[in-house]
Amino acid sequence: AQTVTQSQPEMSVQEAETVTLSCTYDTSESDYYLFWYKQPPSRQMILVIRQEAYKQQNATENRFSVNFQKAAKSFSLKISDSQLGDAAMYFCAYRRDYGQNFVFGPGTRLSVLP
Amino acid sequence: DVKVTQSSRYLVKRTGEKVFLECVQDMDHENMFWYRQDPGLGLRLIYFSYDVKMKEKGDIPEGYSVSREKKERFSLILESASTNQTSMYLCASTPMRWTGAHEQYFGPGTRLTVT
């Protein structure tokens, strides 16, 4: 069975600085998709960024980018120019190709310090 | 704007009560999911439905059942609530596509406390 690990339960970053959240996963599949979700305090979970495993190029969405290392089964999220609104729980998730279910990691709570 | 809504944000129930959590999506999605979210454990799948009246057990189905009578609505039922079911419950939906990086859309969550 696939598993997703986030080794940092909590992290903090100064406003305007850069922070990287780690995610590793275990799978025997070659085709799959990876996601980072953000859950702000008392608010809805939303998608931050996604990556197709067949793409070598790392995904980027404005201040958010990923470092996808397929051989190492690593999928880290980099947040540049951190803002107070980035404070949230961040979940890494995996879905295999031709699968319907998602597997989530335990989450990392990010605090942004003014 | 896509929407997944859940019937309650906060719910307090007594041990032994039958509890219904309702979820509605307006995106015509085939797939709907119920998760339980606990600190340090992430999201764990309780049940999954890929069509009306169809359901599949997830990782932690014990003590729960589900109902999907209409495509847009997916209900989670706690037949006899227990204190260890105190948790945050999240509903999500996706379209039925076998490939592609389609995302899950989430509801706001229901924080259930069983006393």
Side-chain angles (χ1 to χ4, degrees):
Chain A
Q2 294 86 5
T3 57
V4 177
T5 302
Q6 295 176 248
S7 59
Q8 308 148 316
E10 295 185 356
M11 291 196 73
S12 61
V13 62
Q14 290 289 144
E15 201 174 359
E17 297 294 308
T18 296
V19 64
T20 298
L21 309 184
S22 301
C23 172
T24 58
Y25 55 95
D26 185 24
T27 184
S28 57
E29 305 284 340
S30 57
D31 294 323
Y32 50 87
Y33 310 93
L34 296 164
F35 307 82
W36 278 99
Y37 280 89
K38 170 185 178 181
Q39 186 182 42
S42 302
R43 291 179 60 190
Q44 213 139 338
M45 184 107 73
I46 58 172
L47 179 71
V48 175
I49 198 165
R50 72 190 96 194
Q51 174 83 40
E52 295 92 338
Y54 64 83
K55 288 187 177 178
Q56 292 188 335
Q57 187 171 7
N58 289 322
T60 299
E61 290 284 347
N62 301 312
R63 296 183 296 107
F64 297 88
S65 62
V66 297
N67 183 4
F68 173 49
Q69 303 287 330
K70 191 172 185 179
K73 295 180 183 175
S74 171
F75 183 61
S76 60
L77 174 70
K78 185 171 86 170
I79 307 173
S80 303
D81 186 25
S82 297
Q83 301 175 358
L84 295 177
D86 295 333
M89 282 291 290
Y90 286 83
F91 292 96
C92 179
Y94 162 100
R95 183 178 63 80
R96 67 174 179 85
D97 202 19
Y98 289 90
Q100 300 299 319
N101 289 350
F102 290 64
V103 179
F104 287 83
T108 296
R109 182 176 301 281
L110 177 67
S111 301
V112 181
L113 308 174
Chain B
D1 201 14
V2 297
K3 269 221 173 120
V4 180
T5 57
Q6 294 181 229
S7 51
S8 304
R9 289 300 303 273
Y10 300 93
L11 210 52
V12 179
K13 295 292 181 179
R14 293 195 181 276
T15 302
E17 278 193 84
K18 191 169 185 175
V19 182
F20 293 86
L21 303 183
E22 304 282 336
C23 175
V24 177
Q25 51 95 3
D26 67 358
M27 296 165 283
D28 201 36
H29 285 170
E30 290 80 8
N31 298 334
M32 296 187 75
F33 306 78
W34 274 107
Y35 293 95
R36 173 175 170 159
Q37 181 182 357
D38 298 290
L41 297 177
L43 278 66
R44 293 180 291 167
L45 181 64
I46 304 172
Y47 267 98
F48 157 53
S49 170
Y50 54 91
D51 200 353
V52 175
K53 297 191 186 296
M54 306 304 289
K55 62 185 179 184
E56 284 193 10
K57 292 180 180 179
D59 301 317
I60 51 165
E62 297 79 18
Y64 304 95
S65 62
V66 290
S67 171
R68 191 158 180 211
E69 297 295 321
K70 293 185 177 182
K71 189 176 183 180
E72 67 270 18
R73 188 180 298 269
F74 191 34
S75 301
L76 180 69
I77 303 156
L78 287 66
E79 294 288 342
S80 178
S82 63
T83 55
N84 63 12
Q85 292 178 310
T86 291
S87 187
M88 170 71 88
Y89 291 88
L90 296 178
C91 176
S93 73
T94 63
M96 174 66 84
R97 291 181 204 148
W98 292 102
T99 193
H102 55 273
E103 65 186 275
Q104 279 197 322
Y105 294 89
F106 284 87
T110 296
R111 185 166 295 283
L112 173 67
T113 302
V114 183
T115 61

